[in-house]
Every structure is written in C-alpha cells, then in structure tokens.
Amino acid sequence: MKQLLLSAFIALSLVSQAQYENNYLQTTQIGSLNGDARFTGLGGAMSAVGSNFSALGNNPAGLAKFVNNELNFGISILTNSTDNLYNGTQNNTFNGKLGIQSYGIAADISSRNSEGQLWFSLSGQRVYDFKNRTIHKGRNIDYTLNEYLADKAYGTFDSDLASVFPFDASLAFETYLIDPDTVNYNTYTAKIQNEDARIENDENGTRFENYVSFGYNSNNKLYLGASVGIHSASYDNQYSYRGDNTNAETEYAQNYTYDYFFNSTSTGVNATFGAIFKPSQVFNFGVSYKTPTAWYIEESFSSTMNAEYTNTEYTIDSEFEGAGIYRANSPSVFNFSAAVTDKQFGLFSVEASKINYSKGKLISPKREVFIDFDASNRAISTSFRDVWNIKAGYEKPFKRFALRAGINTIPSAYKNGNDFIDYRILNISGGLGIYTNFGRMDFSVTSSNARSSIQPYSGADLATTETRSLLFNFSFTILEL
C-alpha cells in the first residue's frame, strides 16, 4: 500500500532536520492492510481468532490455537491509481507490482507428558509497499520555487551559500537562477517568477516483518504467547521539480529542473506478549502488548539542479552528498480484540490497536558523527498524536468454502490534522477460502483509499493526491506436515 505521507519527505522545505521526523514516521507507522489472504479478507481483525500467521505480529497467543502443523505461503499483486491536483490542474498515474506477501510454519513441540500444548512458529509478512508514482502539474504565478530559493538565501552572502544551503539555494545561485543585489550581496532576485510547474515523485521499497513465536495452550481456555520481531525496511525516492518560464519568449531564463534523491535502509527489533481467553465455545477475548521497536537507520541523499537559458545551459551538482546513521525508538502498541464464533452464524471479530506516535524518539549514534535531534524530537512530541486503529471482519463458513469481508480504518498520525501533510487510510476487503483434503487455498481483494496533501516548498500552494489501491492476495496452506 502506498504511503502518501512520504511525498512530503522529499519536499524542498524538508531538506533539513525535519527530514528525520518524517523518516521516523515512514519507518514506524502502522498503516496499510497486508498479510496472508485470510487475514486481509477479514480486515486484519484476527488477533482473538488466532490460528493465523499474519495475526502473530499483533498477538502471538494465537499460535496456541493452531490445531495442525501448518506451512503457509502467499503472493500478491498491488495496483495503485492516483488522482493528482495542483493549482487547478488534475492528472492521473497508474502502477503495479507483484511480490511475496507472507510465509509461515507452525509446529507442535509439546512433550508427550505435557498437560498443555507448546507451539513454535517462524513467520513473516510484507506490511508496507512503497511502490508508487505521482505527477502534479500546475501554473505558479504567485510564488515560484525560484522565488522561494531567492527568499531562502536572503541574509546569506553568496560565498556562504554552499555551506549553509548546499542542497538547494546554492545550486540555484550556481546555475544563475538567483542573482545577488549589486549593493546588498545577501539579497537575491529570482530569474523566473511565473512558471508552469511539473512535480514528479517516484518511490519504491518495502517493509517486512519476521517473527519467531512461541504459544502455549492451557486446556483450550487460556492461550499465552510471546514473539520476537525482526523488521527490515528499504525506501528509494527520486523527486523532480521542473519549472518552465511562462514568459520564455521575452525573457532570458527558459526553464530549470531540481532533482532530489533519497535512500533509506532500516532494521528493527521488538517483542510482543499476548493472551487469549476463551470462556466458552462462542466467545474469545484477546489482549497484547508490543514493546517499542529499536530501529537502526542508514540514509543518504543528494540533489542536482539544471537551468536552461536562451543560448546556454548550466548544470550543477551538489558539492557533497548527505548521509546519516542513527537510531530510533518507535512507540509501543496495545491491542485489544474479541471474536464470536457460531456454526450457523459464522465468525465475527473486532480489534482495536492504540499507538501514541508522539512517544517516539530519535537517537544519535555514539561512535559516528553526532546529530543533534533535540529539534526533531520536540517536533515528534508536538506534531504526532495518540491514535486508535480499528478493524472488523466477518467469515461465513460453508461445507467446502468460506466467504469473508472486512474493514480497517487508519487515522492520521498528525495532531489536529496537518495543513501540509495529511494521511488517512480506509481499507475494505473481501475474500474466499477453499478447503481441500491437504489444506486450504485463500484469495482476497483489498480496496484502499488514501488522501494526502503536501506543500512542495514553503509558501507554495498545496498539492493533493488521492490514491486508490487494489491488493490481490493469494495464500496456500498445507496441513499436517
């Protein structure tokens, strides 16, 4: 599922300390509905149901509800369609991706004389897919990027621009897009003050979670579980802003292009503890706690600028590439769930997860170059909020198959909304399970709608995007290995 807030990460106004809190949210946010086909078909509301590999990341006690040794493997096809609006101009993009969605193996490792059942599992799932491409087009007549860079350079002498603003304003100066005043050398004038803008954003990458889990079944009444999660994330982004002078026929400057490149790789570790109580054959109640995830993050970024004039073209690359290595602690997660099962009625389950994103923290490494995260940590505390992710699912079993439906709502992590970055997702899903003599085949379709608004640079009009995603999920389960 495309995470729209990432577009804000590469906005020019964020090439600063602010990039760190946005990367923190990109790495840690619980967002899209992913997992095996049964899990997604039920909207992800399976923590109290158990017997599902993708649910073990939310409540590992569900491992103890397995009846058979199982092997599971899933693949998926993701499609994204976007509607992009900027300064009254709308355009559309479309892209797709095929990938591994989930895997899992569960085994009963109880001793013969054990009063309860002890289970072991290795499982994993893709939780984010960053694959997406957006294009915004529109005419800027009030305030261009060129003018923004001139204002950004204000107060800085041209000899100091490379050290103060190496990724943007200094490039504009080197390509002659901003000129210093002949008297006040720390005041600048923009060459292009009316433009047709084209903003292209290409993103790629995944976030994957792997779990080593143990579960204990006590008389089919109380189920306990614990797991260690090993997480990995990779993200690549190329952002391109092109401005074409609307007065090109009468002015020397014709157009310019600003490109910004970003790469991030992250690894994280956490633990989850859970319990499920089954007071009767009908009701199941679950609760779990996931510790904060300790992340190790490496990132690099660079920028280039090109300017074209009537008879000449200037190209300048950034004199250095930025890089960072640091750690982050994402917030803990409390999960509450319930399920009702009946042979005639079927299965109905609900789930709520509480996450306080304002409790995260960025930490500078001790042995590498020190990074002052005081401002970023204050921004995390004041910009993000406490949210509840709500899920619900229904499954109607028949003799040889089952029908499923689910809904999953994910609110924005930003406090009081955000004028420049908004992130909300609504997932609606449906699925089919087919039972065979050797196992089960599951299929699901998840429709996700997400909206975001970004400000390409400070003072610019908002660029909005609405993304409609379809996730086609196929899972295969083999019983009694």
Side-chain angles (χ1 to χ4, degrees):
M1 170 63 205
K2 166 68 175 70
Q3 304 309 309
L4 293 165
L5 60 96
L6 300 182
S7 300
F9 180 49
I10 42 74
L12 296 181
S13 59
L14 298 181
V15 184
S16 62
Q17 278 282 8
Q19 70 189 17
Y20 293 112
E21 56 260 29
N22 283 279
N23 194 23
Y24 152 79
L25 190 62
Q26 165 201 321
T27 303
T28 63
Q29 186 160 26
I30 297 175
S32 56
L33 176 58
N34 278 288
D36 66 44
R38 190 186 181 206
F39 180 85
T40 54
L42 282 164
M46 291 202 66
S47 291
V49 179
S51 301
N52 180 270
F53 291 107
S54 294
L56 298 183
N58 297 326
N59 190 339
L63 174 60
K65 298 192 74 178
F66 276 82
V67 177
N68 303 293
N69 297 335
E70 290 190 13
L71 175 66
N72 174 275
F73 179 76
I75 60 174
S76 64
I77 300 173
L78 173 69
T79 65
N80 287 325
S81 175
T82 66
D83 293 329
N84 311 296
L85 180 65
Y86 183 59
N87 283 348
T89 302
Q90 183 169 325
N91 62 89
N92 311 97
T93 59
F94 178 85
N95 59 83
K97 184 177 182 180
L98 171 69
I100 297 174
Q101 185 65 28
S102 60
Y103 73 91
I105 183 170
D108 183 353
I109 58 172
S110 307
S111 63
R112 292 183 179 181
N113 298 325
S114 175
E115 294 183 0
Q117 281 184 298
L118 181 63
W119 288 82
F120 171 78
S121 173
L122 291 175
S123 62
Q125 62 183 353
R126 181 172 50 182
V127 292
Y128 274 4
D129 197 322
F130 299 128
K131 175 69 174 179
N132 204 43
R133 181 171 179 259
T134 60
I135 298 176
H136 291 89
K137 297 179 181 179
R139 175 160 291 188
N140 288 334
I141 58 175
D142 295 326
Y143 193 58
T144 67
L145 171 60
N146 195 171
E147 291 175 291
Y148 162 75
L149 294 176
D151 290 343
K152 188 173 186 178
Y154 176 80
T156 304
F157 289 104
D158 54 18
S159 58
D160 297 326
L161 285 175
S163 59
V164 179
F165 304 114
F167 287 99
D168 43 33
S170 69
L171 302 184
F173 174 76
E174 295 292 340
T175 50
Y176 303 96
L177 285 169
I178 60 175
D179 289 328
D181 186 85
T182 55
V183 177
N184 298 317
Y185 291 102
N186 60 353
T187 302
Y188 300 85
T189 302
K191 282 286 201 320
I192 298 179
Q193 301 183 13
N194 293 279
E195 67 183 15
D196 287 323
R198 185 180 191 275
I199 308 168
E200 183 173 346
N201 187 36
D202 285 301
E203 299 168 293
N204 206 352
T206 59
R207 182 171 146 205
F208 211 90
E209 296 180 348
N210 302 276
Y211 290 96
V212 179
S213 306
F214 292 89
Y216 180 75
N217 177 353
S218 177
N219 298 319
N220 293 320
K221 291 287 186 181
L222 180 63
Y223 307 85
L224 303 174
S227 67
V228 175
I230 302 172
H231 310 263
S232 62
S234 63
Y235 175 69
D236 291 293
N237 175 242
Q238 180 174 344
Y239 172 89
S240 180
Y241 185 107
R242 178 184 171 95
D244 286 281
N245 195 345
T246 58
N247 301 317
E249 295 182 359
T250 59
E251 295 183 4
Y252 182 46
Q254 300 293 297
N255 60 69
Y256 64 98
T257 301
Y258 176 88
D259 292 305
Y260 180 71
F261 308 91
F262 175 79
N263 170 266
S264 174
T265 58
S266 310
T267 55
V269 178
N270 63 13
T272 307
F273 306 92
I276 298 173
F277 178 57
K278 186 178 181 180
S280 69
Q281 292 298 317
V282 176
F283 298 102
N284 294 267
F285 301 97
V287 62
S288 66
Y289 170 75
K290 180 176 292 186
T291 68
T293 305
W295 289 93
Y296 179 82
I297 302 172
E298 297 184 58
E299 62 182 31
S300 61
F301 40 91
S302 62
S303 60
T304 64
M305 183 167 282
N306 169 281
E308 184 176 349
Y309 298 86
T310 303
N311 300 314
T312 311
E313 182 175 332
Y314 297 97
T315 301
I316 183 70
D317 292 340
S318 176
E319 293 184 359
F320 68 93
E321 296 181 350
I325 300 175
Y326 56 98
R327 294 183 292 122
N329 289 336
S330 67
S332 58
V333 181
F334 293 91
N335 185 278
F336 307 91
S337 56
V340 178
T341 58
D342 181 81
K343 291 183 178 180
Q344 294 183 345
F345 171 75
L347 164 68
F348 178 72
S349 58
V350 294
E351 188 171 329
S353 299
K354 183 178 182 293
I355 314 105
N356 190 345
Y357 290 103
S358 67
K359 297 299 183 181
K361 187 177 182 180
L362 304 177
I363 306 168
S364 180
K366 296 181 179 180
R367 297 183 180 181
E368 287 84 6
V369 177
F370 175 77
I371 304 173
D372 187 356
F373 283 128
D374 287 345
S376 293
N377 285 326
R378 285 194 300 270
I380 289 173
S381 178
T382 58
S383 299
F384 301 136
R385 63 172 181 161
D386 193 0
V387 302
W388 285 89
N389 292 349
I390 307 297
K391 313 171 188 178
Y394 175 72
E395 179 180 75
K396 176 63 176 177
F398 297 91
K399 185 175 181 179
R400 281 292 184 178
F401 67 95
L403 297 177
R404 303 171 184 131
I407 187 169
N408 182 313
T409 62
I410 302 167
S412 172
Y414 286 91
K415 186 180 297 183
N416 301 322
N418 190 295
D419 291 337
F420 303 147
I421 311 167
D422 192 17
Y423 172 52
R424 294 164 291 173
I425 297 177
L426 173 65
N427 300 299
I428 299 175
S429 60
L432 170 69
I434 300 175
Y435 304 103
T436 67
N437 293 331
F438 60 86
R440 189 180 69 245
M441 294 183 293
D442 297 301
F443 168 75
S444 70
V445 179
T446 304
S447 173
S448 301
N449 287 339
R451 295 181 179 181
S452 71
S453 299
I454 67 167
Q455 191 179 40
Y457 50 90
S458 182
D461 292 326
L462 292 182
T464 63
T465 297
E466 181 172 353
T467 298
R468 294 176 299 278
S469 300
L470 287 176
L471 178 67
F472 300 90
N473 228 339
F474 308 87
S475 296
F476 309 91
T477 302
I478 301 175
L479 306 179
E480 290 296 347
L481 299 177

